[in-house]
Amino acid sequence: MSSPGKRESPSSSLQLCRVMLPDDANIMGNVHGGIILKMIEEAGSIVGTRHCNTQNGDRCLAALVRVEKTEFLSPVFIGEVVHVSAVITYTSQHSLEVQVKVIAENILTGEKKLANKAALWYVPCSLQNVDKITEVPPIKYASPEQEEEGRKRYESQKIERLETKARLEEAMPPPPNPERYTVGFSQSSLIHLVGPSDCTLDDFVYGGVTMKLMDEVAGIVAARHCNTNIVTASVDAINFHRKIKKGCVVTVTGRLTFVSNRSMEIEVLVDADPLVEKEKGKYRAVSAFFTFISLDKENKPLNVPPLKIEGEEEQKRFEEGKARYLQNKAKRLAEKERQQ
Amino acid sequence: MSSPGKRESPSSSLQLCRVMLPDDANIMGNVHGGIILKMIEEAGSIVGTRHCNTQNGDRCLAALVRVEKTEFLSPVFIGEVVHVSAVITYTSQHSLEVQVKVIAENILTGEKKLANKAALWYVPCSLQNVDKITEVPPIKYASPEQEEEGRKRYESQKIERLETKARLEEAMPPPPNPERYTVGFSQSSLIHLVGPSDCTLDDFVYGGVTMKLMDEVAGIVAARHCNTNIVTASVDAINFHRKIKKGCVVTVTGRLTFVSNRSMEIEVLVDADPLVEKEKGKYRAVSAFFTFISLDKENKPLNVPPLKIEGEEEQKRFEEGKARYLQNKAKRLAEKERQQ
Amino acid sequence: MSSPGKRESPSSSLQLCRVMLPDDANIMGNVHGGIILKMIEEAGSIVGTRHCNTQNGDRCLAALVRVEKTEFLSPVFIGEVVHVSAVITYTSQHSLEVQVKVIAENILTGEKKLANKAALWYVPCSLQNVDKITEVPPIKYASPEQEEEGRKRYESQKIERLETKARLEEAMPPPPNPERYTVGFSQSSLIHLVGPSDCTLDDFVYGGVTMKLMDEVAGIVAARHCNTNIVTASVDAINFHRKIKKGCVVTVTGRLTFVSNRSMEIEVLVDADPLVEKEKGKYRAVSAFFTFISLDKENKPLNVPPLKIEGEEEQKRFEEGKARYLQNKAKRLAEKERQQ
């Protein structure tokens, strides 16, 4: 792509682009957030893998271990060209950070808009031995300050990754005839049999494929709650605790945890079940919180129906969700003030 | 097709073919039955739509209303070319029968095998008014006997269609920690958001797309029960009671009803939920019985673990499944004897 | 194919067909040229591989080495059925020619139109040893004249293939803020990570997959220049110099070389980068010239904005493009006169 505002890319950066097709969007023409997340991760995985193979040693593949919280800044529509540019912005001994920008271009009007910005962390896994983490070649920084800032991001995500464990609780099946606007009413699960095209060369699922499935189920939950055109507004940081192998059945369950006037928070749990390997049972691979908003026909935000809470568990999750919501709101306000 | 430079083939027949790709198969390389069913229905829908538009009047699309019981006669593998030939074999005033043969060709060895034979019933729906069934132009029969046999097939499927209603019972969610080999242990549901490429020009889902989803969920149920390489052996007659529109969320649920020494019967229920049209609720669109077998690495049949039945409902479904199993077995034997 | 109940068609011909879906088309409903090219090549590759395995010896796969210049004669729309018929028309010791016709059928009106005619050259590669070219069984010709004409086509393409090397120059990234209507303004690149379903049984990318990507990027370039509905008008002869293996990252870059009143010529360069095999660097796999036209809402041709040329390199490519344009125009006129 004609990466806007950049010169020839070294091996540590990459641009990719694709026209958005009808199947990438909902019936209102809004491209699914999951399609964007998948493209972001494809770019990250290529640039990460390419970089980690620039020195001698084992051939390796960069595996996604974490995506920082990311926001969808503008809606993307069918027919637009989505440009994803990825650049490696920090390397530690065994991991690297990729920052990604997503620009949507209307090739009929020439209009461009920033659709998303994301930061992803990868770890190189040896192709010979998938459990071996190889060394990451260092990148060059424009300044010592840049390196120092990267180190800070590295340290803080490391702490968060260590502290955060996958939420292990089961998503209980909803009651037989759930009442409208309850958590059980909109709770949804999808299952997906992992096929060859979902996987990297070493037969593990791309992180982006998992995120696309997560966004899909979260979108169905949101639409069931609102019965309107819903779009992904943001995704909280996701830690990829365990890999998923080709041939697994992946169960992705989404349920509403919190609803504000204008947004819905949906918890998404991903379980992997290696069907033909009896010894290994089903395990929790990832979990994350997605935030969706509801839009009218002019893409203006709509009010969201309140959530009917039933039982202590739901109340506890609602309070936690509210805390995250208020924290994010405060952060956004603080940032706004800083920018003024 | 009207192959240029060839004898014009009549408008009432059609051949299509495609190379089988890794994404069409499971990890053992066996092509999913659902891929074959989708190709069969694509051929049927083209030949049916083409035929119904050969006379003046409303333009219309042929909608699938019924598939007769069909058996998978030989396994199909990645790299093989699947040839589907469809021919209209009977027309009534408002419906038509398409018979389809599927041949798998190994283009490396030249070997060809009959993979499937199926019969499908279509009804032409006006493009102006989707609830209006238009008239079907009559075909010419090679002999009065041929027409008479067609009429018999027509009458008998009509009776079956009127008698059989979609099984309306809900598939209850399985208990929290189901025991191995119970019905609840392997019960699975997938949800799918209907996209533009799943639909015909009038924005209703292709019957073949629905059958592919049904086969997918049935395969997951079978694999969860056996933990082996499983393949579709046959599909009982399917009646498509109600159409599914673009934008719906489709929930496809599969559960074991009966297990013999060498086969598993899985009931598959398809519910459609028109998310953004509040007035319409969720409804049962289709239901069907799939039979799967378990194979070892040489594609030899394996024994299937017995099913642990819990409760009266499951026992009742098991007995019904056993009756279908014995009936099919008797039919096969009778046919064998007739052929000798 | 062995169409049951029909005269067995010879192993040297094949028909395939498919309904065009929304994802096959742009937002105006015009099916992408790349979709047609991919179907053409699928048919060629099946018929070529099948033929080369009709005698004893190594099992082999037919690899695409060249596509002759091809023109898109009529637009194809969503809902139409595209029929591709391929027939082997010449065999040399180590290569074969496949001629392909594409007919688009509107199954609602019965209308059929010739959409494309193409000629492709294949070479059989042994499955045991991908660098070994096996022998091609001879075909039977209807007349000595037919054979002689084939030999002429063979000789002339051989010379062209030997003379034409892949254009090895790099596509320099455009300047940061390119002016409207310059080459840099519309230049575009996409990257694609080669997945399993892009590949033949020996894990090399289908030529048709590459052509589809090339058409996609050329279409983006054309749309950026015109901001209108654009369609592929023709593709100059393409030589496939080097194969692309599974796991490679393919970078496809398109840039305008020449613009006439009514057409745009876009040069497309394809580079393959085997991410994890360091010894092999990035290499130029294919290059080609695509011609696009701009259409209004009634599918009538529109004028194309002139191209702003900057620098000697662009001027040189523009002159070369103009020469090709005039040569093609002269050829078309000569053919018209011959037909009168």
Side-chain angles (χ1 to χ4, degrees), chain B residues 49-70:
Chain B
T49 299
R50 181 204 271 163
H51 178 75
C52 292
N53 286 289
T54 48
Q55 65 184 12
N56 289 327
D58 274 8
R59 298 300 92 197
C60 59
L61 295 172
L64 182 68
V65 291
R66 178 175 166 91
V67 180
E68 301 293 346
K69 180 177 167 63
T70 181

Side-chain angles (χ1 to χ4, degrees), chain B residues 126-339:
Chain B
S126 160
L127 263 176
Q128 261 74 53
N129 171 4
V130 79
D131 294 325
K132 186 181 155 199
I133 309 284
T134 59
E135 296 221 344
V136 175
I139 57 163
K140 282 177 193 137
Y141 300 92
S143 67
E145 291 73 34
Q146 208 187 41
E147 182 169 8
E148 187 47 33
E149 274 172 38
R151 198 191 324 278
K152 277 185 201 155
R153 291 193 303 274
Y154 168 71
E155 296 297 344
S156 87
Q157 65 87 26
K158 201 174 165 183
I159 292 166
E160 276 201 49
R161 262 170 63 198
L162 290 174
E163 279 179 355
T164 319
K165 295 216 170 73
R167 293 170 63 106
L168 285 174
E169 46 179 326
E170 289 274 320
M172 300 304 293
N177 286 303
E179 201 191 333
R180 194 120 186 55
Y181 303 127
T182 60
V183 173
F185 183 83
S186 56
Q187 183 177 321
S188 306
S189 292
L190 65 80
I191 54 179
H192 175 74
L193 182 59
V194 173
S197 291
D198 298 326
C199 295
T200 60
L201 276 183
D202 60 359
D203 286 345
F204 287 100
V205 175
Y206 280 108
V209 168
T210 308
M211 288 195 284
K212 181 170 173 281
L213 291 171
M214 294 169 88
D215 179 75
E216 193 177 328
V217 87
I220 292 172
V221 171
R224 276 185 169 157
H225 186 71
C226 296
N227 297 125
T228 54
N229 180 24
I230 51 79
V231 295
T232 319
S234 67
V235 185
D236 267 24
I238 311 180
N239 295 304
F240 290 80
H241 300 279
R242 297 184 57 180
K243 293 181 179 185
I244 303 171
K245 205 167 168 64
K246 190 168 86 179
C248 279
V249 168
V250 170
T251 307
V252 186
T253 303
R255 60 179 171 197
L256 277 166
T257 41
F258 170 74
V259 161
S260 76
N261 275 348
R262 286 286 171 94
S263 71
M264 293 159 273
E265 189 197 58
I266 294 137
E267 180 178 29
V268 182
L269 308 166
V270 179
D271 294 316
D273 188 353
L275 279 191
V276 285
E277 294 170 67
K278 247 183 250 181
E279 66 284 6
K280 294 186 197 161
K282 198 169 161 172
Y283 59 91
R284 176 68 38 88
V286 202
S287 66
F289 294 99
F290 282 67
T291 300
F292 275 71
I293 52 172
S294 164
L295 299 179
D296 68 9
K297 280 171 191 174
E298 280 78 43
N299 286 304
K300 298 262 161 61
L302 282 173
N303 279 338
V304 170
L307 185 63
K308 282 190 191 154
I309 294 295
E310 291 174 322
E312 274 177 42
E313 282 289 311
E314 289 186 12
Q315 186 63 43
K316 184 166 156 276
R317 289 200 296 266
F318 188 89
E319 298 301 338
E320 289 168 2
K322 193 173 184 175
R324 281 185 294 270
Y325 169 77
L326 293 172
Q327 205 181 350
N328 283 326
K329 207 172 169 178
K331 259 191 210 166
R332 270 201 308 274
L333 279 173
E335 230 160 82
K336 238 185 191 166
E337 273 175 25
R338 216 186 321 152
Q339 286 171 355

Side-chain angles (χ1 to χ4, degrees), chain A residues 23 189 191 197 223 227 275 278, chain B residues 23 189 191 196-197 223 227 275:
Chain A
D23 279 356
S189 291
I191 55 178
S197 291
N227 296 124
L275 280 190
K278 244 183 252 186
Chain B
D23 278 357
S189 292
I191 54 179
S197 291
N227 297 125
L275 279 191

Side-chain angles (χ1 to χ4, degrees), chain A residues 208-271:
Chain A
V209 168
T210 308
M211 288 195 283
K212 178 170 173 284
L213 292 170
M214 295 169 87
D215 180 75
E216 193 176 329
V217 88
I220 291 172
V221 171
R224 279 187 165 154
H225 185 72
C226 297
N227 296 124
T228 54
N229 178 23
I230 49 80
V231 295
T232 318
S234 66
V235 185
D236 268 23
I238 310 179
N239 295 304
F240 289 80
H241 298 280
R242 295 184 60 179
K243 293 182 180 182
I244 303 171
K245 205 167 169 67
K246 190 167 84 179
C248 279
V249 168
V250 170
T251 306
V252 185
T253 302
R255 61 178 170 196
L256 277 167
T257 42
F258 170 74
V259 161
S260 76
N261 274 349
R262 287 285 171 95
S263 71
M264 292 160 273
E265 188 196 60
I266 294 136
E267 180 177 28
V268 182
L269 307 166
V270 180
D271 293 316

